[in-house]
Amino acid sequence: MADQVYWEDIEVGSEIPPLVKEPDPQQLVKWAGASGDFYQIHYDKDFALGNNLPDIIVHGALKSAWLGQLLGDWVGEKGEIKKYGCSYRGMDIPGDKLTCKGTVTNKYEAGGEHCVECDIWLENSKREKTTLGTAVVALPLKG
Amino acid sequence: MAEDSVITEEMRSMIDVESDETVYEIEKEPIRRWADAIGDPNPLYRNEEYAKKKRYRSIIGPPAFVDQYSFPVKLGQRQARIISPFTRKLNGGDEYEFFIPVQAGDTVTSTTKLVELLEREGRLGKMLIQIYETTYKNQNGEAVVKSRNTDISY
């Protein structure tokens, strides 16, 4: 993991180090087993095509788990994810290169904590943002 | 438009009605397998000795672990209440608020409720949108996570 990031080092516009994922169908099956989401659009291509989908698609919840990994890697063990959320705007297909990214939109102190707000998203290899969200994290001071 | 609505009075009567409680015993292996499925190598999710050195009793779950792990139960609770006229489903979005990290050995109790019902015309045709809020508490009655999930059927 990267070095600990501190609140003082962050400015509006700072970028979160990106996280790249290249899921294959096997990873979707692993996720199905781990999460208990056995909806066939994620592993049965005939079923997915029958549902007017272009192919089997990556689980939305897996994409949000990756955004959680993006934030967890960034805030480190002394930081804290307060909240995050995302909406699934576009479908992602296994075999594509997907990148989780984020930028800082605000920083402030509240209730003794040093918070940072971010836009977070996942984009495909065509740089289309298929998953859009926001997050609030608390970071440690260098102090 | 109203007469064409797929949202019935019976569906509306389910808004804000809390589900029964569901209890989850949080164990180590599902957390490790879950971290493997994401591809997240963080030792806090895998190595108990490491996690103990970092102020935890045991390994912790990744941020959204408990809300996503409970998916099959939540799905069953939804289908018992709202029968969508549409059989095809998509996940519209997820939001999580975290209070205390969930650790292996915790006993987590959740309740969920429908908070909003919407109807939209989309690329895939008419859609029914259900928004649910779920609260998770630990064995001490402290809130650990709250979530808001958007369920689309079309």
Side-chain angles (χ1 to χ4, degrees), chain A residues 1 21 27 30-31 34-37 39 41 50-53 57 60-62 64-66 68-69 77 80-89 91, chain B residues 33-34 36-44 50 54-55 63-64 68-69 71-72 87-99 123-124 154:
Chain A
M1 273 187 287
K21 295 288 178 179
Q27 184 167 15
K30 284 171 79 173
W31 174 262
S35 70
D37 182 350
Y39 193 30
I41 59 172
N51 272 17
N52 301 333
L53 300 173
I57 61 169
L62 176 54
S64 84
W66 287 333
Q69 182 181 356
E77 291 176 354
E80 194 183 333
I81 305 170
K82 309 294 285 179
K83 55 179 153 183
Y84 79 93
C86 58
S87 60
Y88 310 112
R89 305 294 178 87
M91 295 169 196
Chain B
R33 190 161 290 189
W34 204 87
D36 280 346
I38 310 170
D40 189 335
N42 192 328
L44 288 174
Y50 183 88
K54 303 286 177 179
R55 77 183 184 270
Q68 298 181 331
Y69 189 72
F71 172 80
T87 55
R88 294 164 174 168
K89 300 183 291 289
L90 286 173
N91 184 347
D94 293 299
E95 294 169 40
Y96 319 98
E97 189 171 2
F98 308 103
F99 304 100
R123 208 167 9 121
L124 297 163
Y154 65 99

Side-chain angles (χ1 to χ4, degrees), chain A residues 7 78 80 82 108-115 137-141:
Chain A
W7 193 72
K78 292 180 181 167
E80 194 183 333
K82 309 294 285 179
Y108 57 90
E109 293 181 60
E113 291 191 303
H114 295 82
C115 297
V137 304
L139 292 178
L141 292 179

Side-chain angles (χ1 to χ4, degrees), chain A residues 77, chain B residues 28 32 42-60 103-104:
Chain A
E77 291 176 354
Chain B
K28 285 179 250 182
R32 291 184 180 129
N42 192 328
L44 288 174
Y45 311 147
R46 298 163 185 279
N47 182 334
E48 189 165 45
E49 290 312 308
Y50 183 88
K52 282 180 173 171
K53 285 182 196 147
K54 303 286 177 179
R55 77 183 184 270
Y56 301 110
R57 282 193 329 270
S58 182
I59 61 170
I60 64 171
Q103 305 181 46

Side-chain angles (χ1 to χ4, degrees), chain A:
Chain A
M1 273 187 287
D3 292 338
Q4 179 64 51
V5 66
Y6 293 95
W7 193 72
E8 294 94 325
D9 296 330
I10 296 301
E11 295 166 11
V12 171
S14 294
E15 291 184 9
I16 301 174
L19 174 70
V20 175
K21 295 288 178 179
E22 295 181 74
D24 56 12
Q26 187 180 54
Q27 184 167 15
L28 304 197
V29 171
K30 284 171 79 173
W31 174 262
S35 70
D37 182 350
F38 295 108
Y39 193 30
Q40 297 93 323
I41 59 172
H42 304 298
Y43 56 84
D44 180 337
K45 188 164 183 170
D46 290 340
F47 188 94
L49 295 176
N51 272 17
N52 301 333
L53 300 173
D55 199 330
I56 60 170
I57 61 169
V58 179
H59 299 74
L62 176 54
K63 297 194 274 186
S64 84
W66 287 333
L67 291 172
Q69 182 181 356
L70 172 83
L71 293 168
D73 286 352
W74 180 52
V75 304
E77 291 176 354
K78 292 180 181 167
E80 194 183 333
I81 305 170
K82 309 294 285 179
K83 55 179 153 183
Y84 79 93
C86 58
S87 60
Y88 310 112
R89 305 294 178 87
M91 295 169 196
D92 290 294
I93 306 297
D96 199 9
K97 181 174 167 180
L98 309 175
T99 308
C100 300
K101 295 185 175 179
T103 56
V104 172
T105 55
N106 193 16
K107 64 182 278 192
Y108 57 90
E109 293 181 60
E113 291 191 303
H114 295 82
C115 297
V116 175
E117 287 177 357
C118 317
D119 284 337
I120 53 175
W121 68 92
L122 182 145
E123 62 185 44
N124 63 20
S125 58
K126 295 177 187 161
R127 308 200 71 183
E128 296 161 335
K129 295 180 180 181
T130 61
T131 303
L132 286 175
T134 58
V136 178
V137 304
L139 292 178
L141 292 179
K142 283 177 177 170

